[in-house]
Short mmCIF file of all heavy atoms in Angstrom, two decimals:
data_model
loop_
_atom_site.label_atom_id
_atom_site.label_comp_id
_atom_site.label_asym_id
_atom_site.label_seq_id
_atom_site.Cartn_x
_atom_site.Cartn_y
_atom_site.Cartn_z
N THR Y 162 80.34 39.66 -45.64
CA THR Y 162 79.16 40.27 -46.26
C THR Y 162 78.73 41.47 -45.41
O THR Y 162 78.96 41.50 -44.20
CB THR Y 162 78.00 39.27 -46.35
OG1 THR Y 162 77.68 38.79 -45.04
CG2 THR Y 162 78.38 38.10 -47.23
N LEU Y 163 78.12 42.44 -46.07
CA LEU Y 163 77.64 43.62 -45.35
C LEU Y 163 76.25 43.32 -44.80
O LEU Y 163 75.31 43.07 -45.56
CB LEU Y 163 77.60 44.83 -46.29
CG LEU Y 163 78.95 45.25 -46.90
CD1 LEU Y 163 78.76 46.48 -47.78
CD2 LEU Y 163 79.99 45.50 -45.82
N GLU Y 164 76.14 43.33 -43.50
CA GLU Y 164 74.87 43.05 -42.84
C GLU Y 164 74.88 43.69 -41.46
O GLU Y 164 75.85 43.53 -40.70
CB GLU Y 164 74.63 41.54 -42.73
CG GLU Y 164 73.26 41.18 -42.18
CD GLU Y 164 72.99 39.68 -42.22
OE1 GLU Y 164 73.44 39.02 -43.18
OE2 GLU Y 164 72.34 39.19 -41.30
N ALA Y 165 73.82 44.38 -41.13
CA ALA Y 165 73.75 45.08 -39.84
C ALA Y 165 73.80 44.09 -38.68
O ALA Y 165 73.29 42.97 -38.77
CB ALA Y 165 72.47 45.90 -39.77
N ASN Y 166 74.42 44.52 -37.58
CA ASN Y 166 74.43 43.70 -36.38
C ASN Y 166 72.99 43.41 -35.93
O ASN Y 166 72.16 44.32 -35.89
CB ASN Y 166 75.14 44.44 -35.24
CG ASN Y 166 76.63 44.56 -35.46
OD1 ASN Y 166 77.12 44.33 -36.56
ND2 ASN Y 166 77.36 44.92 -34.42
N PRO Y 167 72.69 42.16 -35.59
CA PRO Y 167 71.33 41.84 -35.15
C PRO Y 167 71.10 42.29 -33.70
O PRO Y 167 72.04 42.50 -32.93
CB PRO Y 167 71.30 40.31 -35.24
CG PRO Y 167 72.72 39.90 -34.99
CD PRO Y 167 73.57 40.97 -35.61
N SER Y 168 69.85 42.42 -33.33
CA SER Y 168 69.48 42.70 -31.95
C SER Y 168 69.49 41.39 -31.17
O SER Y 168 68.91 40.39 -31.61
CB SER Y 168 68.09 43.33 -31.87
OG SER Y 168 68.08 44.58 -32.53
N VAL Y 169 70.18 41.38 -30.05
CA VAL Y 169 70.30 40.16 -29.24
C VAL Y 169 70.09 40.50 -27.77
O VAL Y 169 70.18 41.66 -27.36
CB VAL Y 169 71.68 39.49 -29.41
CG1 VAL Y 169 71.87 39.00 -30.83
CG2 VAL Y 169 72.80 40.46 -29.02
N THR Y 170 69.81 39.48 -26.99
CA THR Y 170 69.69 39.63 -25.54
C THR Y 170 70.91 38.99 -24.90
O THR Y 170 71.10 37.77 -24.96
CB THR Y 170 68.41 38.95 -25.01
OG1 THR Y 170 67.28 39.54 -25.64
CG2 THR Y 170 68.29 39.14 -23.50
N ARG Y 171 71.76 39.78 -24.31
CA ARG Y 171 73.00 39.27 -23.73
C ARG Y 171 72.75 38.69 -22.34
O ARG Y 171 71.74 38.98 -21.69
CB ARG Y 171 74.06 40.38 -23.67
CG ARG Y 171 74.38 40.96 -25.04
CD ARG Y 171 75.47 42.02 -24.96
NE ARG Y 171 75.64 42.71 -26.23
CZ ARG Y 171 76.35 42.26 -27.25
NH1 ARG Y 171 76.99 41.11 -27.12
NH2 ARG Y 171 76.45 42.95 -28.37
N ASP Y 172 73.70 37.87 -21.90
CA ASP Y 172 73.61 37.24 -20.58
C ASP Y 172 73.91 38.27 -19.49
O ASP Y 172 75.01 38.84 -19.45
CB ASP Y 172 74.61 36.08 -20.51
CG ASP Y 172 74.45 35.23 -19.25
OD1 ASP Y 172 73.66 35.62 -18.36
OD2 ASP Y 172 75.11 34.18 -19.17
N THR Y 173 72.95 38.50 -18.62
CA THR Y 173 73.15 39.46 -17.52
C THR Y 173 73.14 38.77 -16.16
O THR Y 173 73.01 39.43 -15.13
CB THR Y 173 72.05 40.53 -17.55
OG1 THR Y 173 70.76 39.90 -17.46
CG2 THR Y 173 72.13 41.36 -18.82
N ASN Y 174 73.28 37.44 -16.15
CA ASN Y 174 73.34 36.72 -14.87
C ASN Y 174 74.61 37.11 -14.11
O ASN Y 174 75.56 37.64 -14.68
CB ASN Y 174 73.33 35.22 -15.11
CG ASN Y 174 71.95 34.71 -15.49
OD1 ASN Y 174 70.98 34.94 -14.78
ND2 ASN Y 174 71.86 34.03 -16.63
N LYS Y 175 74.62 36.84 -12.82
CA LYS Y 175 75.72 37.24 -11.95
C LYS Y 175 77.03 36.58 -12.37
O LYS Y 175 77.06 35.42 -12.77
CB LYS Y 175 75.40 36.90 -10.49
CG LYS Y 175 74.28 37.74 -9.89
CD LYS Y 175 74.09 37.40 -8.42
CE LYS Y 175 72.98 38.26 -7.80
NZ LYS Y 175 73.35 39.68 -7.78
N ILE Y 176 78.11 37.37 -12.25
CA ILE Y 176 79.45 36.90 -12.59
C ILE Y 176 80.09 36.23 -11.38
O ILE Y 176 79.94 36.68 -10.24
CB ILE Y 176 80.31 38.09 -13.05
CG1 ILE Y 176 79.76 38.66 -14.36
CG2 ILE Y 176 81.77 37.69 -13.22
CD1 ILE Y 176 80.41 39.96 -14.78
N PHE Y 177 80.81 35.13 -11.62
CA PHE Y 177 81.54 34.47 -10.54
C PHE Y 177 82.91 35.14 -10.36
O PHE Y 177 83.66 35.31 -11.31
CB PHE Y 177 81.73 32.99 -10.83
CG PHE Y 177 80.51 32.16 -10.56
CD1 PHE Y 177 79.71 31.72 -11.61
CD2 PHE Y 177 80.14 31.84 -9.26
CE1 PHE Y 177 78.58 30.95 -11.37
CE2 PHE Y 177 79.00 31.08 -9.01
CZ PHE Y 177 78.22 30.63 -10.06
N VAL Y 178 83.19 35.49 -9.12
CA VAL Y 178 84.48 36.08 -8.74
C VAL Y 178 85.18 35.11 -7.78
O VAL Y 178 84.54 34.51 -6.91
CB VAL Y 178 84.28 37.45 -8.05
CG1 VAL Y 178 85.61 38.01 -7.57
CG2 VAL Y 178 83.59 38.42 -9.01
N VAL Y 179 86.49 34.93 -7.96
CA VAL Y 179 87.26 34.06 -7.08
C VAL Y 179 87.58 34.85 -5.81
O VAL Y 179 88.32 35.83 -5.84
CB VAL Y 179 88.55 33.58 -7.75
CG1 VAL Y 179 89.26 32.56 -6.85
CG2 VAL Y 179 88.25 32.97 -9.12
N LYS Y 180 87.02 34.41 -4.68
CA LYS Y 180 87.18 35.13 -3.40
C LYS Y 180 88.03 34.33 -2.44
O LYS Y 180 88.15 33.10 -2.55
CB LYS Y 180 85.79 35.40 -2.78
CG LYS Y 180 84.82 36.13 -3.72
CD LYS Y 180 83.48 36.39 -3.06
CE LYS Y 180 82.75 35.13 -2.68
NZ LYS Y 180 82.39 34.29 -3.86
N SER Y 181 88.58 35.02 -1.47
CA SER Y 181 89.43 34.36 -0.48
C SER Y 181 88.65 33.37 0.38
O SER Y 181 89.22 32.47 0.99
CB SER Y 181 90.09 35.40 0.43
OG SER Y 181 89.11 36.15 1.12
N ILE Y 182 87.32 33.53 0.44
CA ILE Y 182 86.51 32.62 1.27
C ILE Y 182 86.02 31.40 0.47
O ILE Y 182 85.35 30.53 1.03
CB ILE Y 182 85.29 33.35 1.87
CG1 ILE Y 182 84.40 33.92 0.75
CG2 ILE Y 182 85.74 34.44 2.82
CD1 ILE Y 182 83.10 34.52 1.27
N ASP Y 183 86.33 31.34 -0.83
CA ASP Y 183 85.95 30.18 -1.63
C ASP Y 183 86.83 28.99 -1.27
O ASP Y 183 87.83 29.12 -0.55
CB ASP Y 183 86.04 30.51 -3.12
CG ASP Y 183 84.92 31.42 -3.59
OD1 ASP Y 183 83.77 31.20 -3.15
OD2 ASP Y 183 85.18 32.35 -4.36
N GLY Y 184 86.47 27.82 -1.80
CA GLY Y 184 87.17 26.60 -1.43
C GLY Y 184 88.05 26.05 -2.54
O GLY Y 184 87.65 26.02 -3.71
N ALA Y 185 89.25 25.61 -2.19
CA ALA Y 185 90.16 24.94 -3.12
C ALA Y 185 90.88 23.84 -2.36
O ALA Y 185 91.50 24.09 -1.32
CB ALA Y 185 91.16 25.92 -3.72
#
Side-chain angles (χ1 to χ4, degrees):
T162 58
L163 299 181
E164 186 174 325
N166 290 14
S168 296
V169 295
T170 301
R171 301 183 189 277
D172 188 352
T173 58
N174 285 306
K175 291 184 179 295
I176 294 171
F177 282 103
V178 176
V179 186
K180 306 181 297 297
S181 61
I182 60 174
D183 286 319

